């Protein structure tokens, strides 16, 4: 009997152990599957309803006008949101623009009925920049034609064109001169924020513009460029869609250069010297990317420097199409696990530092003509053709927020030291951090009145009130240390700053707003962002 009882106890323990193990395996498999899953739909987690204590929501229109049947409405009423999922906004309606006449008719309809116009495409700005309460929103994504002039090395395009599609069109002979480090954005969106990216020599998108045709609030169309209607040009570029609708822009394109890829790990504090000694004098380095560690053991201390050295002006004649990102599910799991704490942050850094080089995609054949032996060769289009699908997930109770801070180059070490301590001593997971090169930008609302480095951060937060409060506090702390060192914060992101911080970063703002009223006296073009910066600047 005793032996039977002992055997029963052992069997029960074995069953319990097997159940626990099986449950863990099942939980692990379910969790991994959830973390690997792509978006099932857009996130729509509410609205941060104020800026520095000033309420932003407007009352609904008491008697909204009837919808013009001649316009191609994709929505009549309803809500709209941006990539943050935290800017849910009720709008009058959305017109799906397919041709220039749609824009002219929509502006005339809005003028006649007292409506505001907002301009939207991919909507990756995160503070209501592309829409406003009760606005008529122009969805420009299908207003996206592109033509290429090979002899002039230019492309003329409509603002809804996406960089991803443009690259596929230009490849294999040509490449984009200036854009962000990822290709998910529209050209119109990039122009409206004067975006910059991996080409540290080319600078911002604004520097690649030959000319633009712009429809103003009164429906008239004008051309502006760095040499024609210069004042309008300086306000449309980096003007957040507040001065007119870009109908088309002509931009420089460049050869699809072949690069030899390399990477090395340096200390963050050594970066200014690395830039001065290596990057700046060597004009054969065509692209650069500085990726900082977000692992607790060396947080913002180590940096992987990715560099791309020119070896040929053009790829071989049989160059294949540009590939799409691989291992998306695995990458999505790694970045989502990094939200769970230090162990997984260390795993992410180990993957980036050790494993990624082993799976590097070398897309250009190693030929004797290039005399590069066993080097890894890529075309310019390859590293710039990343739609980062692994950053988008189906975790509906959280969101990932971009920040960017511009620092005068002489102040980099002091700034990064203080920013490191701020980020270490707060609870929100920092998923990615990078450093970029920024030129002096001569536009009306410039983020770089002098040459600068920028710190780009990608930070996770819960979408509840506590998550919003933590992000607001962190944003203000980072803005304050940026201002302390003579820098500026980038405006396309959440509306967490104060009036003092806004005007200290952008003392040109009152003049910018005055010019807005000059070009658009009735303030036809509007957005939640516009009303927010007006309120903080004290403009009625």
């Amino acid at each position: 009997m005793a032996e039977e009882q002992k055997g029963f106890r052992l069997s029960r323990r074995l069953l319990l152990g097997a159940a626990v193990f099986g449950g863990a395996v099942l939980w692990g498999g379910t969790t991994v599957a959830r973390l690997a899953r792509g978006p099932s739909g857009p996130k729509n987690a509410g609205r941060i309803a104020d800026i520095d204590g000033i309420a932003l929501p407007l009352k609904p229109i008491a008697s909204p006008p009837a919808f013009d049947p001649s316009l191609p409405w994709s929505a009549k009423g309803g809500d709209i949101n941006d990539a943050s999922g935290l800017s849910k906004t009720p709008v009058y309606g959305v017109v799906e623009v397919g041709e220039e006449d749609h824009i002219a008719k929509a502006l005339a309809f809005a003028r006649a009925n007292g409506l505001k116009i907002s301009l939207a495409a991919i909507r990756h700005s995160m503070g209501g920049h592309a829409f406003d309460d009760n606005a008529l929103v122009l969805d420009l994504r299908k207003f996206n034609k592109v033509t290429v002039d090979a002899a002039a090395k230019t492309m003329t395009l409509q603002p809804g064109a996406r960089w991803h599609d443009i690259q596929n069109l230009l490849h294999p002979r040509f490449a984009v001169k200036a854009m962000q480090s990822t290709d998910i954005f529209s050209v119109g969106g990039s122009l409206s924020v004067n975006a910059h990216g991996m080409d540290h020599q080319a600078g911002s998108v604004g520097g690649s513009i030959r000319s633009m045709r712009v429809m103003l609030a009164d429906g008239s169309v004008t051309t502006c460029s760095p040499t024609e209607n210069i004042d309008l040009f300086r306000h449309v570029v980096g003007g957040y869609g507040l001065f007119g609708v870009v109908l088309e822009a002509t931009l420089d394109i460049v050869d699809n250069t072949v690069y030899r890829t390399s990477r090395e790990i340096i200390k963050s504090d050594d970066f200014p010297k690395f830039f001065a000694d290596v990057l700046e004098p060597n004009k054969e380095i065509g692209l650069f990317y500085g990726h900082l560690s977000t692992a607790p053991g060396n947080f913002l201390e180590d940096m992987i420097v990715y560099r791309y050295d020119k070896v040929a002006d053009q790829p071989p004649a049989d160059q294949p199409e540009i590939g799409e990102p691989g291992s998306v599910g695995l990458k999505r799991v790694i970045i989502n696990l990094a939200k769970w704490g230090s162990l997984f942050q260390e795993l992410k850094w180990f993957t980036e530092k050790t494993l990624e080089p082993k799976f590097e995609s070398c897309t250009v054949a190693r030929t004797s003509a290039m005399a590069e032996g066993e080097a890894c060769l890529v075309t310019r289009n390859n590293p710039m053709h990343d739609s980062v699908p692994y950053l988008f997930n189906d975790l509906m109770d959280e969101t990932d927020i971009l920040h960017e801070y511009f620092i005068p180059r002489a102040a980099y070490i002091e700034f990064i030291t203080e920013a490191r301590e701020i980020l270490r001593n707060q609870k929100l997971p920092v998923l990615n951090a990078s450093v970029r090169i920024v030129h002096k930008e001569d536009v009306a609302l410039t983020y770089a009145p002098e040459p600068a480095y920028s710190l780009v951060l990608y930070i996770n937060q819960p979408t509840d009130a506590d998550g919003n409060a933590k992000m607001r506090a962190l944003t203000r702390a980072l803005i304050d240390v940026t201002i302390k060192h003579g820098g500026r914060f980038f405006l396309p992101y959440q509306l967490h700053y104060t009036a003092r911080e806004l005007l200290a970063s952008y003392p040109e703002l009152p003049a910018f707003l005055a010019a807005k009223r000059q070009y658009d006296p009735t303030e036809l073009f509007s957005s939640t962002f516009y009303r927010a910066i007006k309120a903080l600047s004290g403009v009625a």
Side-chain angles (χ1 to χ4, degrees), residues 323-346:
E324 300 299 327
S327 306
V328 171
L330 176 60
K331 291 177 181 176
R332 188 179 285 127
V333 168
I334 290 171
I335 199 161
N336 285 332
L337 282 173
K339 301 167 185 177
W340 290 10
S342 58
L343 177 63
F344 296 107
Q345 284 279 14
E346 296 286 357

Side-chain angles (χ1 to χ4, degrees), residues 158-216:
Q158 294 172 333
R162 290 191 315 149
W163 295 109
H164 187 86
D165 300 324
I166 292 166
Q167 289 171 323
N168 285 329
L169 176 66
L170 293 177
H171 190 77
R173 182 177 175 187
F174 295 115
V176 171
K177 180 178 180 181
M179 55 168 265
Q180 291 96 312
S181 58
T182 61
D183 64 8
I184 58 178
F185 308 99
S186 69
V187 171
S190 297
L191 295 178
S192 75
V193 304
N194 194 25
H196 62 99
M198 293 176 68
D199 191 325
H200 59 289
Q201 298 185 56
S204 70
V205 172
S208 71
I209 302 172
R210 296 279 185 95
S211 66
M212 297 184 293
R213 288 179 62 244
V214 180
M215 184 175 289
L216 301 177

Side-chain angles (χ1 to χ4, degrees), residues 306-328:
Y306 300 84
R307 56 184 274 189
Y308 298 80
D309 291 73
K310 176 181 172 180
V311 299
D313 291 327
Q314 288 286 342
D318 58 350
Q319 184 65 22
E321 294 181 359
I322 320 173
E324 300 299 327
S327 306
V328 171

Side-chain angles (χ1 to χ4, degrees), residues 314-379:
Q314 288 286 342
D318 58 350
Q319 184 65 22
E321 294 181 359
I322 320 173
E324 300 299 327
S327 306
V328 171
L330 176 60
K331 291 177 181 176
R332 188 179 285 127
V333 168
I334 290 171
I335 199 161
N336 285 332
L337 282 173
K339 301 167 185 177
W340 290 10
S342 58
L343 177 63
F344 296 107
Q345 284 279 14
E346 296 286 357
L347 172 64
K348 177 174 171 287
W349 178 243
F350 172 80
T351 301
E352 293 162 348
K353 182 174 63 173
T354 308
L355 299 183
E356 276 188 0
K358 301 182 186 301
F359 297 95
E360 189 171 16
S361 179
C362 306
T363 59
V364 179
R366 304 178 184 96
T367 66
S368 56
M370 291 179 179
E372 288 297 319
E374 292 303 307
C376 181
L377 304 181
V378 299
T379 74

Side-chain angles (χ1 to χ4, degrees), residues 219-239:
S220 63
V221 176
T222 188
T223 299
C224 61
S225 75
T227 58
E228 181 182 3
N229 290 324
I230 301 170
D231 186 69
L232 177 62
F233 179 83
R234 293 180 69 253
H235 284 86
V236 171
V237 177

